[in-house]
Amino acid sequence: MGTMMRRGDWRLAAAGVAVAAALSLGGCGSGDDDSTSATGGAPATAGAESTTDGAAEATTPPAKPSKRSRAAVTLPATLRTRSIVSMEQDQGKPQWLAGDRQRVADASWKFSSGTFVFATTDVRTDLYPLRGTYRAAGTTVSFSGQGSATNTVGSASATMEGELDLSTGSLTFTWSTSSGQGAVVNGQNFASASASMYHGEVVVR
């Protein structure tokens, strides 16, 4: 106590303080720290506010995006499938469902001057589009469309019917198809038949 520090000793002491300060800061978010935040993106921020028990304060997770609200539609219009809410198979082979579901996803629904037209992709051009009529009562539109085709080996038919809610763009449908083929070979009759039916709901725009 009371001893004056020499200039050389003063410099050594100052250097020691600087080194100690650098070491104490080395664990607080240095450039080599590759830790990430709980959300998996940006590096964690040093010095997070602590609770009374010393643990880092939890960060509120971001809110999940809300579902896109359904929008009203007006007629006349050519509407397209926006999303498939549900689609169930009532008749037919299970392996047909994926392809027919895609056809509903690709579909257009035309309502104009009392005429209804259902068109889609990857279908028989002699059978589709299906055509029919529609009738509006308030915000509910009832529709029905049909198609048929006949050739030298058989025939086919299809029907699309349902209701459209103009206030929400929700469209419920029943879609059915049937086909039959026959031939006579060496005096023997050969025939085959198939049918499918679906019901579901889509949102159109």
Side-chain angles (χ1 to χ4, degrees):
M1 296 181 58
T3 303
M4 182 176 295
M5 185 179 294
R6 291 179 300 176
R7 179 173 299 181
D9 295 337
W10 177 83
R11 290 177 178 175
L12 290 174
V17 172
V19 171
L23 290 175
S24 65
L25 294 174
C28 298
S30 66
D32 295 330
D33 187 3
D34 59 356
S35 60
T36 57
S37 67
T39 57
T45 302
E49 182 179 355
S50 300
T51 59
T52 55
D53 60 0
E57 183 178 8
T59 302
T60 303
K64 294 182 179 180
S66 60
K67 295 182 179 179
R68 298 169 66 184
S69 59
R70 302 182 183 188
V73 295
T74 57
L75 302 183
T78 298
L79 306 172
R80 295 191 175 277
T81 301
R82 178 182 184 182
S83 63
I84 297 178
V85 178
S86 65
M87 181 170 171
E88 297 183 17
Q89 186 176 43
D90 303 309
Q91 186 178 4
K93 296 181 179 180
Q95 58 265 36
W96 296 347
L97 177 59
D100 286 336
R101 183 183 177 90
Q102 186 61 51
R103 293 178 182 94
V104 171
D106 294 339
S108 65
W109 317 74
K110 183 178 181 180
F111 300 86
S112 180
S113 302
T115 299
F116 167 69
V117 180
F118 171 79
T120 187
T121 58
D122 192 27
V123 290
R124 290 178 54 167
T125 55
D126 60 343
L127 184 59
Y128 290 84
L130 307 182
R131 302 177 184 275
T133 59
Y134 71 90
R135 178 179 297 179
T139 60
T140 301
V141 177
S142 302
F143 61 87
S144 178
Q146 304 82 31
S148 61
T150 303
N151 53 35
T152 57
V153 296
S155 62
S157 64
T159 300
M160 177 66 78
E161 56 187 9
E163 291 185 346
L164 167 65
D165 185 344
L166 294 175
S167 66
T168 62
S170 174
L171 184 150
T172 57
F173 67 90
T174 299
W175 180 24
S176 58
T177 65
S178 63
S179 63
Q181 295 181 344
V184 177
V185 180
N186 296 328
Q188 294 184 337
N189 293 323
F190 294 90
S192 65
S194 64
S196 67
M197 180 179 292
Y198 305 93
H199 72 275
E201 179 185 0
V202 299
V203 176
V204 295
R205 61 181 176 184

